[in-house]
Every structure is written in C-alpha cells, then in structure tokens.
Amino acid sequence: MTSDQVRDTFLDFFQARGHVRMPSSSLVPLNDPTVLLTPAGMHQMQPFFLGKAKPPAKRLTSCQKCFRTTDIETVGNERNLTFFEMLGNFSVGDYFKEGAIDFAWDLLRKGYGLPEDRLHVTCHPSDEEAPAIWRQIGVPAERIHRDETNWWAIKGAAGPCGPDSEIYFDRGAEMGCRRPDCAPGCDCDRYLEIWNLVFMQFLQNESNEVQGPLQQQNIDTGAGLERLCLVLQGRPTVYETDLFRPIISTVEQLTGLSYDGSVEDAGAAGSSAGTARRRAFGIRVLADHARSMTFLVGDGLEPSNEGRGYILRRIIRRAIRHGRMLGLERPFLKDLSASVIERMAGAYPNLSQDRLAIFNVIEAEEEKFNQTLSQGLSILNAMVSSLRHGQQLPGSDAFRLYDTYGFPLEVTQEILAERGLGVDETGFLAELEEQRRRSRASAKGAAGPSVHPDAYRPIRTHAGPTTFLGYETTTADGEIRAIVVEGEMRQRLAAGEQGELILDRTPFYATGGGQVGDTGRVVSTTGDTLFEVIATTKPMADLFVHHGVMARGELAVGDRVRATVDEGLRWDTARNHTGTHILHAALRRVLGEKATQAGSVVEPDRLRFDFHYSSALTDEQLREVERIANEEIRRDEPVQTEVLGLDEATSRGAIGLFEEKYGEQVRVVSIPGFSMELCGGTHVRATGQIGELVIAGQESIGSGVRRVEAFTGRRAAEYVRDRLETLRAVQQILPGGEADMPRQVQRLLDELAKKDKQIERLKREGSGSEAEELLARIKSANGSAQVLAEVVTADNRDDLLRLVDRVKTLRFSGVVTLGAVVDDKPAYVTLVTKDLVERGVKAGEVVRAASLAAGGSGGGGRPDLAQGGGKDASKLADGLAAAVEAARAQLERK
C-alpha cells in the first residue's frame, strides 16, 4: 500500500460505518493559548469531549496534522519525528470499548490484511472489560499483556481520564533484543505500537485522583500514519517509506551522498561506520525538518524569536546546520520543500496553492541564518580572545550566542574544541532551563487556571448558583458559599494559602469569549481580611470561581464579604472589547463579509483579533480600517445590550463566533447602524469612551487566517507617544525637517546602493584579472587531460563560482579545483569538463578529498561541478594538493 492508500483506507472504513470525516485543523491552534502547535489527533475534538461545542455527529474520523515540539533535538535517530499525521476515530457519547475494539480489529485484519498472529495488545491492570472483549473477538491470552502505563490523563489538570489499550505489531525476533522477557513495551524495535484506543471513562481532579465515572463516556483513538506505512510497506524505519524516500532522494542529489537506511543512530567518529552513521543521521534530519517547515509555513506560520515562530526558526536553522555538515554550502531548503510539496499536495492541496509563499518564507530565513552564522563567528571570536588553552567559555556567553544570535550550542562546542577550548555546558543548560521556566510561567499565566465542568459539579451542588452583577457594578456584597483548595472543599482559608472562593453574588467577570477574567479583592465586612483575586473563571454556566491568595487574615464558609473589581483594569478591558467589535465591523467594511471572526483575546493592555482572510492586508487597507474605526469612536454612539432568543438575534443580523456554543437566550451587544454581535463581555457605555484605536500590526497565524493587534485608550496614547519619540530621535540625526525625512532616508539608501555597485564593480575587475591569469595557465598547460588546482581570492562562494563560470568558457579537457579562504575557512569548487564526466570522473570525489584534507566533513554536488570546505584555513594548500591527487587517481582508473 502507498501512504495515500493507507490514509484513504482508514478514513473510508470509518465513513462507511457512520463516521463524519473531519478535515485536518491547522497546525497553529486557533484561540487556544494552552499549546503552541497541534500535538495530537484529538486536539480538534476536545471541545466536543468537554461539552463546550456541539459535534457535527457523534461518530467522527480524521487525519490530523500534528507536531511534537519535544522531539526536535532527537530527530535524526530512527524513531522520532516532529511532523506526523495521526489517523483517528472518535465517539462522542456513542459506542464505547466494544465498538472501538471491534472496529480496530476489523480494519487491521481485513482492511490492511495484517496477520492476526503478529498483533499483540496491552491493557491497564485495572481494566477487566477490554481484555475480555479482546479475548471474545479471538485474541489469545498470551498476546494480551498488562501494562501500568496504559492510562490516559492530562497531568495536573482536572478532567476526563481512563484506561487505554495499545495495539502492537510484532516485527520479528530479528528486530528485537532477543531477551526471553521481550514483549510489547520493550525498548527494542521488535514490537511497534501502531494504534492506541483511549477509553475516556472517569473524571479526575487536579491531583490526578479518580473521582468517579463520567456522565458521557467517549472514545479517542490514534494511529500514526507513518508507523502504519512502515509495517504495511515492510520497511525497517519510517524513513524508507514512500512518505520520506522522495525527499531523501533529493538530499542525495544535492549532496552527491548516498543514504544507508540500515545504519543506526549517529555514533562515535573515527571510522567509516561512524561516518556513515553521521551521514544517515543528517539526511534523516533534513527529510523530517523539510516536511515540518513546509507544513508549518503552509499553515501560515513565520519564523520569529518567540512562541511557535521560534519553533519554526529552530527547525529551519537545524536543517541548515546539518546541511552544511553534509557539504551543502549554498541555499538548498527550497529544493527540499519542493520535494515535500510534490509528494504531499495530493492530500493537502493548499501546499501546491501556496508553494511560492512557502518558498519565500523559507528562503528568507535561510539567507538570514547564513548571515547569522557569519555574525555569530565574529562575536564568538571576541568572546574567546582572552581565553587560554583548556579554559571554558562561560555558559552565559554560550547561551547569549544561542538565544540572541541563533548560534547553536553544537556549533560553538565544535569551533572551540578545534582551539583547545571548552564550553560550560552546565551553565548553558541552567540558562536554558531558566528561560524555559519563564516561558512555562508565561504560558500558564496566559492559559489561566485549568478547569473542567465535571470537576465542579459537586461543588456547584453544594454552593448553589452565583448571581453575576458585573454588568451593573464593580462592587458587591455577598456570602462565601464554598472554599476550594486543590480540588477539595475546605471550611477555612488561612493567610498565605492559595485557593478558590465561590460567592453567592459577584461583580467579577469570568474569563470567556476571548475576554480575560477580572482581578481585584475580596475583604471581610470588618476590613481586617484580604483575599487577592488573580483570576476569575466560570467552569459552569452559573458558577463563578475566584482564584487567588489569602493576603491577610482568614476567611471561612458563611462569612459576609465585599468583592471589588480592579476598576481601572476593568475599564481598560472594556475599551478593548468594544474596540474589538468596532475593529471587526471596520474590517468587514473594507474586506467584505468573508472577513469573519476566528478568535480574539481581550486584555487590559491590548486586543488581538483573528479573522478569516486569504492574504495580507495592504498598508492602504490597514489605514482605511483604522480610519473607519476611529470615525465610529468619535461619533460617540451608545453601546446597547439586550437579551434575545438566538433565532431572533440572528434574524436581526447579529453575528457570532462559528465555533462558539450558544444557548437559547443570548446577549446582543450593538452599536446602532454599525455593529451587532452575540457577546457576553463587558463594554463601555458609548464609543467615545474608547478614546482612540491604533493598529500595531498584522500577521498570518494559519492557512487563510490573519491576526491584527491593536491598542485603545491609555495604551494607544502611549504607543503613539513612543513612535513620536522615535521619530524625533531620527529627525535629530538626519538633515532637514520632519516632512523631509522620507526623502532623506531614500537618499541615504540610494547612496548605499550606489556604493555597493561600485564595490561589486571593483571586485569584478579584480577577479577579472585573476581569472585572465588562470585562463592563461590552463591554455598553456600540457597533456590531453589537464589537472589544475589554484589558490584564488574570493570574499564568498559566489566569487568562486563566478571564476568557475569564466573557466567554463574555455575549450579544454580537464579537472580544475579552485580554493579560497572564506569566513576564515577553506572553500573549494571543482569543475570537470564534459568529456571526462562521460568517462566517469566525478567532481564530488575530488572536492571531497580536498575538504577532508582541510579538516572538513566532505562535500558534494553534480558530477561536473561540486563544492566543499574545511575548517582549518592553514590547510588550504593541503586540500588543493589532495584534490590534484584525487583527480589524477580517477583519470588513471578511467
């Protein structure tokens, strides 16, 4: 079976059995700050499982694009991938264990034709139902194994959990460790997990303690497409399947190297086997990362220094580094991406449609990182200038190179080892862990407390409903109905303790609809106690949970308290929320009704609006959107709210978020004649209270989805003031007035361009005379087949290639190798004339000999033209001498 047939067979099987086929969602999750990239097939199904959205059917199936960020540094071995496709079938309160097991067994045996005697299953020791079902359908007891790890849950989060059952394929004893106790779950390669059936059966609290059965039991399964292809195509690793082989063939063509898929993970240097292992490792990195970068960019992601954009940047830069280790000095990622698109566009047509945009992003990042490598080298040289032999570069310096300049730790270590220096890797890792800690803290703060409706049902029953007063007031008196600490109800909360308060009445708005929850304080009626509210959530429709810390005194269930919202932050948030509605309406006026909302974030200091649109907005469009929005703000129209039936609201023209789940009664927020939306958030009373709206920028966050960030009120004024100060600083540097600044900047750019042309002309004149001398030596050389190796002057590899182009104009027979020191390293280019190529002489072997002699790892290219390089500039001549010997040896053999 081809991979396309494997994918279609799975989806067709479940569609024929009443499942609705769901398209893959983007790798960039919309309106979900809890994950950077889509990690699993069930991610798009979570709203259905959690009761937050109504599924299109109770039975669903999909092939979901997935990305695992934790596997980036291990990719290159035979097991791990970053990008992969996850096939799955899902039941939302329909069939359970028996149905899931029957479907899986039927598809594996009849749909894919796998032999029964090579299929094993594992079950959790506490699960008696699943093993009984497996035995009932014919799996013998000796192939049903118990495994403590067969339990699915989200660690540290309240929500669904339950046992799972994994299906393994026995690849044969020759693939294993040959230990007598070898079984599914062993670290060897004999038993390969191909499908996991998750039974969402129970509810857990935040301590991962099972609380009882779920009211609605669900099924989530996942079968990795790449692993199924490995089994069905009979390959030793996924890299030999038809998903990867075309990409690897492209790498082989670019490098002139061959891939030996039987070689295991990269091992020690110093032997031909070690060289082959390193080569295989690098080629696998390029194949995996080519797929990852192509799909990430295809889903609208662009490289950046934070978040998911940084993951893309790491992928691209790691690919470039491994490409250089394989001898690829010139840009090559576009060729790899083209190979990915050619292979995968049948299943994902957007790749073909967006191929030029994908190439532009990848090529720009590749060019930028090539410059970064040069910059990083100069900074590293300055850092180590005072170090003596045997000393270490401080970890903080190595981390600054990595974090600020994108200089990989491995490159730093390699360069310093050649100089007899080391790197304080412990210090580097400490800096890295500190950065990750800050990142995790930031992500946790963005996501807010993790809650699940089922976890709060008993608390809601005990405490009763909360009356929300936040639309009318920011202060309200009430009674504490419940205190919760780590999922457990308590009677009291003492000073210094973190916990949750549930009141009978509250003015605090809870996180929802894209708006962040209120912060503030809860105090006793006497004023001698203080509970600081840091977040407010609403796990159930009428239950408001105030998360925070007891800053002073003690509170108990039944106490009378006064809850007060931070009014300044509330008003800033309200300005941004009404501003979001105005921005949405302005976008639709400029771009058309197809610019529908895809998500939003409303906070006190900013607003972020995601919408469906296929291309970037022009500067003129952004200015027009901003003009319309501020015109509406200056009109100072009243902001009206009313509660209507859903059908009536939509019939009046109110719009809402497609993915949102609405009740029969909805709150409608409208600005007469301009905007009408379904919304439960807090707003200003009139548009004039917003002050001003300033658009700070736009970006793509997914295929066909754009994001605009803007500021209102005080933050908008600060933003404009900062830009004006920057403008004044530039004005002090440039001659002329403010109005003349664009012309002055353009004049400087024109002068720089003119100087660059002069420099290029002088370089060409210099290289031209050198080329003439080189051509003269070739003409005067004796012998039918000439072998020539010359040191030339070149600032970069393009200069070397220009010299080679001049040599090509001569009519002669021979092998010419040119060498120059570029970026403090030897660089080589070898040319073989057509008549010698036809005799079997290969430029790659010649340049590889030169590279190895100069301390490099090899080179590659076409039979008539190949490039390589070394690491030790003092061995430039040694490399040229090796090139002569290699060329003559080939000529003698041919």
Side-chain angles (χ1 to χ4, degrees):
M1 277 189 169
T2 66
S3 55
D4 291 333
Q5 290 172 329
V6 175
R7 186 189 299 109
D8 291 341
T9 296
F10 189 100
L11 297 172
D12 291 346
F13 176 90
F14 283 102
Q15 280 187 284
R17 287 155 180 81
H19 292 66
V20 171
R21 180 171 177 173
M22 299 284 287
S24 173
S25 60
S26 171
L27 284 169
V28 182
L30 294 178
N31 215 30
D32 184 356
T34 63
V35 294
L36 289 174
L37 297 167
T38 302
M42 68 88 68
H43 188 263
Q44 66 168 319
M45 310 296 175
Q46 280 182 320
F48 308 144
F49 291 145
L50 298 178
K52 294 181 178 179
K54 182 179 180 181
K58 289 190 173 183
R59 296 184 176 194
L60 306 169
T61 186
S62 71
C63 181
Q64 173 63 46
K65 298 175 292 186
C66 302
F67 192 100
R68 295 276 170 87
T69 58
T70 55
D71 291 338
I72 292 176
E73 295 303 327
T74 59
V75 166
N77 62 31
E78 296 180 346
R79 295 187 178 187
N80 292 349
L81 301 172
T82 50
F83 170 82
F84 59 96
E85 296 176 76
M86 186 62 74
L87 297 159
N89 60 290
F90 309 90
S91 166
V92 187
D94 189 43
Y95 60 84
F96 199 48
K97 292 182 184 180
E98 186 172 2
I101 290 173
D102 283 344
F103 283 145
W105 191 245
D106 196 26
L107 175 57
L108 290 176
R109 291 185 309 124
K110 298 176 182 178
Y112 290 135
L114 293 178
E116 292 183 22
D117 60 354
R118 300 183 70 174
L119 294 174
H120 292 245
V121 297
T122 60
C123 303
H124 193 266
S126 68
D127 188 356
E128 296 298 336
E129 298 169 330
I133 298 171
W134 283 117
R135 287 193 297 270
Q136 183 179 347
I137 64 174
V139 181
E142 62 269 19
R143 294 209 306 273
I144 301 174
H145 310 267
R146 297 288 189 162
D147 190 336
E148 289 280 355
T149 66
N150 283 138
W151 186 269
W152 180 87
I154 301 176
K155 188 175 181 180
C161 63
D164 60 66
S165 187
E166 295 171 334
I167 305 173
Y168 287 79
F169 182 78
D170 183 358
R171 305 173 69 193
E174 66 278 5
M175 297 293 293
C177 58
R178 301 187 185 277
R179 295 200 307 265
D181 60 344
C182 184
C186 181
D187 289 337
C188 72
D189 293 328
R190 176 172 178 175
Y191 295 98
L192 181 71
E193 179 197 341
I194 57 174
W195 205 340
N196 187 16
L197 316 179
V198 176
F199 312 125
M200 293 186 185
Q201 190 170 358
F202 302 106
L203 173 70
Q204 69 171 22
N205 60 22
E206 292 180 358
S207 300
N208 292 90
E209 297 170 336
V210 175
Q211 301 295 290
L214 285 169
Q215 292 185 353
Q216 174 181 284
Q217 295 178 333
N218 305 312
I219 289 292
D220 155 36
T221 85
L225 175 66
E226 292 77 8
R227 290 192 175 192
L228 279 176
C229 289
L230 180 158
V231 170
L232 294 168
Q233 296 175 12
R235 304 301 182 190
T237 77
V238 296
Y239 290 98
E240 285 73 54
T241 66
D242 67 340
L243 288 166
F244 287 88
R245 190 62 231 188
I247 311 167
I248 288 176
S249 295
T250 301
V251 177
E252 290 176 322
Q253 293 169 11
L254 290 171
T255 61
L257 304 173
S258 60
Y259 171 71
D260 183 356
S262 66
V263 178
E264 296 180 355
D265 298 351
S271 68
S272 58
T275 300
R277 284 193 291 269
R278 289 193 301 275
R279 181 191 306 161
F281 188 92
I283 291 175
R284 288 194 290 259
V285 168
L286 294 188
D288 172 87
H289 288 7
R291 284 171 27 112
S292 296
M293 70 180 72
T294 301
F295 273 91
L296 287 172
V297 176
D299 276 354
L301 200 58
E302 295 189 5
S304 69
N305 283 331
E306 60 183 9
R308 52 180 65 99
Y310 183 60
I311 293 171
L312 174 59
R313 173 159 285 168
R314 283 178 62 195
I315 288 289
I316 292 176
R317 293 185 169 188
R318 189 167 187 256
I320 293 170
R321 182 170 61 84
H322 280 276
R324 287 202 171 193
M325 292 166 67
L326 294 172
L328 292 172
E329 298 288 341
R330 301 184 73 184
F332 63 90
L333 292 183
K334 176 184 174 182
D335 295 326
L336 296 187
S337 182
S339 178
V340 174
I341 293 172
E342 183 178 355
R343 178 63 193 84
M344 303 298 292
Y348 302 97
N350 70 293
L351 295 179
S352 181
Q353 297 163 6
D354 299 334
R355 62 185 292 124
L356 292 180
I358 293 171
F359 292 160
N360 288 339
V361 171
I362 291 174
E363 286 183 304
E365 181 66 13
E366 186 172 20
E367 179 182 358
K368 184 175 182 178
F369 186 53
N370 284 332
Q371 296 171 353
T372 295
L373 283 177
S374 301
Q375 182 185 26
L377 276 172
S378 64
I379 294 169
L380 177 60
N381 288 334
M383 286 179 172
V384 302
S385 59
S386 61
L387 296 181
R388 295 190 299 274
H389 190 278
Q391 289 185 322
Q392 288 189 328
L393 179 72
S396 57
D397 286 346
F399 182 76
R400 185 158 66 91
L401 278 169
Y402 166 80
D403 190 47
T404 306
Y405 302 102
F407 212 65
L409 175 64
E410 297 86 349
V411 176
T412 302
Q413 290 173 318
E414 187 178 352
I415 293 171
L416 295 189
E418 295 167 3
R419 305 181 187 183
L421 301 171
V423 178
D424 175 16
E425 189 170 351
T426 301
F428 174 89
L429 293 174
E431 294 278 349
L432 182 62
E433 180 56 33
E434 174 61 19
Q435 184 200 56
R436 288 173 175 167
R437 185 197 63 75
R438 291 193 301 267
S439 213
R440 286 193 297 268
S442 174
K444 183 176 180 181
S450 176
V451 293
H452 184 271
D454 283 335
Y456 282 92
R457 292 189 192 281
I459 298 172
R460 163 65 177 77
T461 301
H462 172 80
T466 304
T467 301
F468 176 59
L469 306 172
Y471 294 139
E472 298 84 26
T473 183
T474 55
T475 300
D477 293 336
E479 178 184 318
I480 298 177
R481 289 292 179 85
I483 295 174
V484 182
V485 177
E486 296 182 352
E488 300 292 334
M489 284 191 286
R490 293 256 298 267
Q491 286 299 308
R492 314 187 77 81
L493 193 67
E497 286 190 303
Q498 293 184 352
E500 301 163 4
L501 298 186
I502 295 170
L503 312 178
D504 61 340
R505 294 153 40 95
T506 184
F508 281 77
Y509 178 84
T511 298
Q515 179 176 327
V516 67
D518 282 329
T519 60
R521 54 179 51 197
V522 176
V523 299
S524 63
T525 53
T526 60
D528 57 355
T529 62
L530 169 62
F531 178 83
E532 292 183 347
V533 180
I534 60 174
T536 309
T537 62
K538 189 168 66 170
M540 301 177 69
D542 57 359
L543 186 71
F544 286 67
V545 181
H546 309 77
H547 305 258
V549 61
M550 199 71 213
R552 184 177 68 243
E554 181 178 279
L555 286 174
V557 174
D559 284 356
R560 298 292 299 175
V561 292
R562 173 163 292 179
T564 304
V565 172
D566 186 319
E567 196 164 1
L569 294 180
R570 161 71 81 82
W571 276 107
D572 286 339
T573 303
R575 291 185 186 96
N576 280 332
H577 205 151
T578 308
T580 300
H581 286 214
I582 291 174
L583 176 63
H584 186 191
L587 283 165
R588 289 167 67 88
R589 291 197 177 189
V590 174
L591 305 178
E593 293 188 0
K594 61 184 176 181
T596 56
Q597 182 176 356
S600 65
V601 171
V602 178
E603 298 174 342
D605 60 348
R606 64 162 183 162
L607 68 89
R608 195 180 73 196
F609 186 75
D610 302 338
F611 59 98
H612 298 284
Y613 199 67
S614 58
S615 59
L617 278 67
T618 65
D619 291 341
E620 290 76 14
Q621 288 174 322
L622 283 174
R623 281 197 294 269
E624 180 64 8
V625 169
E626 195 173 72
R627 184 195 67 78
I628 292 173
N630 283 299
E631 186 176 277
E632 186 62 26
I633 290 170
R634 286 190 292 272
R635 287 176 57 199
D636 197 23
E637 290 287 337
V639 179
Q640 301 173 347
T641 62
E642 56 184 328
V643 177
L644 301 172
L646 179 60
D647 291 340
E648 182 183 355
T650 54
S651 67
R652 288 192 191 181
I655 58 177
L657 191 63
F658 175 75
E659 297 86 354
E660 190 71 28
K661 180 181 179 181
Y662 296 103
E664 293 183 3
Q665 296 290 307
V666 293
R667 184 169 181 261
V668 179
V669 177
S670 58
I671 301 170
F674 189 76
S675 167
M676 180 183 291
E677 295 195 26
L678 308 180
C679 180
T682 60
H683 291 268
V684 296
R685 299 187 182 94
T687 59
Q689 293 177 324
I690 296 173
E692 183 179 11
L693 184 145
V694 177
I695 296 176
Q698 64 164 321
E699 63 176 329
S700 169
I701 63 163
S703 183
V705 181
R706 306 294 303 176
R707 170 172 292 169
V708 168
E709 186 162 326
F711 306 113
T712 66
R714 294 180 295 181
R715 184 68 184 90
E718 292 171 2
Y719 180 83
V720 172
R721 184 173 63 249
D722 290 344
R723 295 305 179 274
L724 287 173
E725 289 176 356
T726 301
L727 190 64
R728 292 190 190 102
V730 175
Q731 186 180 352
Q732 292 176 358
I733 299 172
L734 295 174
E738 182 178 313
D740 197 40
M741 284 177 59
R743 190 184 67 80
Q744 292 290 352
V745 171
Q746 187 59 53
R747 179 183 61 78
L748 288 175
L749 292 174
D750 291 342
E751 288 181 6
L752 285 173
K754 184 178 179 181
K755 293 287 192 294
D756 287 341
K757 289 180 179 179
Q758 291 174 348
I759 292 170
E760 281 297 315
R761 179 175 57 77
L762 292 172
K763 285 170 61 178
R764 284 197 300 272
E765 290 174 357
S767 64
S769 60
E770 188 172 24
E772 294 301 327
E773 295 174 5
L774 178 61
L775 296 177
R777 284 195 292 276
I778 294 175
K779 290 177 182 178
S780 63
N782 297 320
S784 56
Q786 303 165 22
V787 176
L788 188 67
E790 290 282 335
V791 175
V792 295
T793 302
D795 291 336
N796 49 55
R797 288 186 172 273
D798 287 338
D799 290 348
L800 275 176
L801 292 172
R802 277 193 286 268
L803 283 172
V804 169
D805 288 339
R806 298 288 299 275
V807 173
K808 286 182 181 178
T809 62
L810 291 179
R811 301 183 65 179
F812 77 105
S813 172
V815 180
V816 177
T817 301
L818 305 182
V821 175
V822 175
D823 294 333
D824 298 325
K825 291 182 179 180
Y828 303 102
V829 178
T830 296
L831 169 70
V832 178
T833 54
K834 184 178 179 181
D835 60 312
L836 297 184
V837 171
E838 292 173 351
R839 285 172 53 186
V841 178
K842 297 180 179 179
E845 292 186 15
V846 177
V847 85
R848 193 172 298 118
S851 301
L852 292 173
S857 57
R862 304 190 307 268
D864 65 321
L865 183 67
Q867 299 183 66
K871 298 177 181 177
D872 189 345
S874 67
K875 294 183 178 180
L876 176 65
D878 295 343
L880 291 173
V884 170
E885 291 181 12
R888 287 176 176 163
Q890 283 200 70
L891 289 170
E892 290 172 1
R893 293 198 303 269
K894 308 303 179 183

